[in-house]
Amino acid sequence: MTQLALVIAGSEATGGAGIQADIRTYQQLGVYGVGTITCIVSFDPKNDWAHRFVPVDPAVIADQIEAATATHDLDVVKIGMLGTPATIKVVSEALRAQPWRHVVLDPVLICKGQEPGAALDTDTALREQVLPLATVVTPNMFEARTLSGMDEIAAVDDLVEAARRIHALGPRYVLAKGGVELPGDDAVDVLFDGEEVTILSEPKVGQERVSGAGCTLAAATAAELAKGASVPDAVRTAKALVTAGIHARVSAKTPFDSVWQGAYQS
Ligand code: PXL
């Protein structure tokens, strides 16, 4: 039987990140992707690739989720960029309207085109309204600092502490991603389930950030969960897919190349 999964995320027009990367990831793992678009991000090549950000009307977001959930029996969802408090509110209300086996939250906090003041409201809304619904949350270093309230994450021990603090906010599992930002030869992620800490480590593929890695990791986790994997197994497969996708990255004129999901072989 074909497995289905929902993704609620933004469109990133170059194809590198956002729902474009999510749907490719679902496809690569044999999962039929169903998508709701929350916002449209168009980088501006005339202005240093600044993010131009347009939120989708909350009523239209609600309509999309209604169409998707009325058409299919969906019990796994990945949530990517939401972007505004109004979007967060409508998505959290829609999520509460039915039970979910897994809610994978990539807590994308700010987009460079947004006002910092608006971003603070967004952080608070995400922390209060969506984070407690997540079965897995996947913060990067910046998001881990913001959600945990820690000023500095300089080593794996700090990342573990951040994961503990974020876990206390309600999600069932925290996958805190060190990525290329923590010093050392390996890209280290920390998985915390409230009791046990699991360290996941893969050799870094260069020192450059690659667009779409975070989106792809969360989407691959959701796809594997949809197929029945446990959270630790889903995360391991997701990390392998991202690592293969960074090796095979698509070169781009934006400051970052982008992950190629099609490179992964299970
Ligand atoms: O990679 C984070 C991200 C997620 N979703 C959308 C984005 C970005 C980064 O640009 O535009 C829609």
Side-chain angles (χ1 to χ4, degrees):
M1 202 182 69
T2 307
Q3 298 296 328
L4 286 77
L6 179 61
V7 48
I8 301 175
S11 165
E12 192 277 87
T14 74
I19 202 161
Q20 289 86 344
D22 296 325
I23 299 277
R24 285 199 300 273
T25 305
Y26 281 2
Q27 183 79 18
Q28 187 66 16
L29 292 171
V31 168
Y32 178 106
V34 178
T36 288
I37 294 184
T38 55
C39 59
I40 298 173
V41 172
S42 316
F43 300 151
D44 184 355
K46 303 181 296 307
N47 182 21
D48 202 17
W49 305 100
H51 288 43
R52 293 176 291 200
F53 168 82
V54 179
V56 171
D57 182 330
V60 177
I61 296 173
D63 288 350
Q64 294 175 78
I65 299 174
E66 182 184 32
T69 54
T71 303
H72 302 294
D73 292 326
L74 299 165
D75 66 358
V76 173
V77 56
K78 179 215 145 159
I79 300 175
M81 185 164 170
L82 299 175
T84 73
T87 302
I88 289 168
K89 182 163 182 284
V90 75
V91 168
S92 91
E93 284 168 1
L95 288 177
R96 286 170 212 269
Q98 70 156 77
W100 296 93
R101 190 161 53 88
H102 278 291
V103 175
V104 179
L105 173 64
D106 183 9
V108 180
L109 286 180
I110 46 163
C111 164
K112 284 170 207 148
Q114 284 182 274
E115 296 292 321
L120 188 63
D121 289 355
T122 303
D123 298 353
T124 306
L126 192 77
R127 186 186 282 118
E128 290 177 356
Q129 295 172 45
V130 186
L131 193 57
L133 304 177
T135 55
V136 186
V137 62
T138 62
N140 63 20
M141 294 272 280
F142 169 74
E143 293 151 358
R145 278 197 298 274
T146 308
L147 293 173
S148 68
M150 289 169 66
D151 290 336
E152 206 191 350
I153 298 177
V156 174
D157 286 352
D158 301 334
L159 200 57
V160 171
E161 176 59 24
R164 288 183 186 278
R165 291 189 192 191
I166 295 167
H167 189 269
L169 301 171
R172 224 184 294 156
Y173 287 82
V174 179
L175 179 68
K177 303 175 292 185
V180 291
E181 288 178 61
L182 276 183
D185 293 334
D186 294 336
V188 177
D189 302 329
V190 167
L191 180 66
F192 183 60
D193 64 4
E195 287 178 14
E196 236 178 285
V197 172
T198 307
I199 305 285
L200 301 156
S201 185
E202 290 273 351
K204 283 181 184 168
V205 185
Q207 290 291 330
E208 296 298 318
R209 299 182 64 182
V210 178
S211 173
C215 302
T216 302
L217 187 81
T221 302
E224 289 299 297
L225 292 171
K227 293 191 294 186
S230 66
V231 171
D233 285 349
V235 164
R236 272 188 209 99
T237 301
K239 202 163 153 78
L241 185 146
V242 171
T243 303
I246 294 173
H247 276 292
R249 62 187 171 267
V250 170
S251 106
K253 294 172 190 162
T254 40
F256 308 119
D257 291 343
S258 30
V259 171
W260 170 227
Q261 294 78 11
Y264 176 73
Q265 302 292 331
S266 54

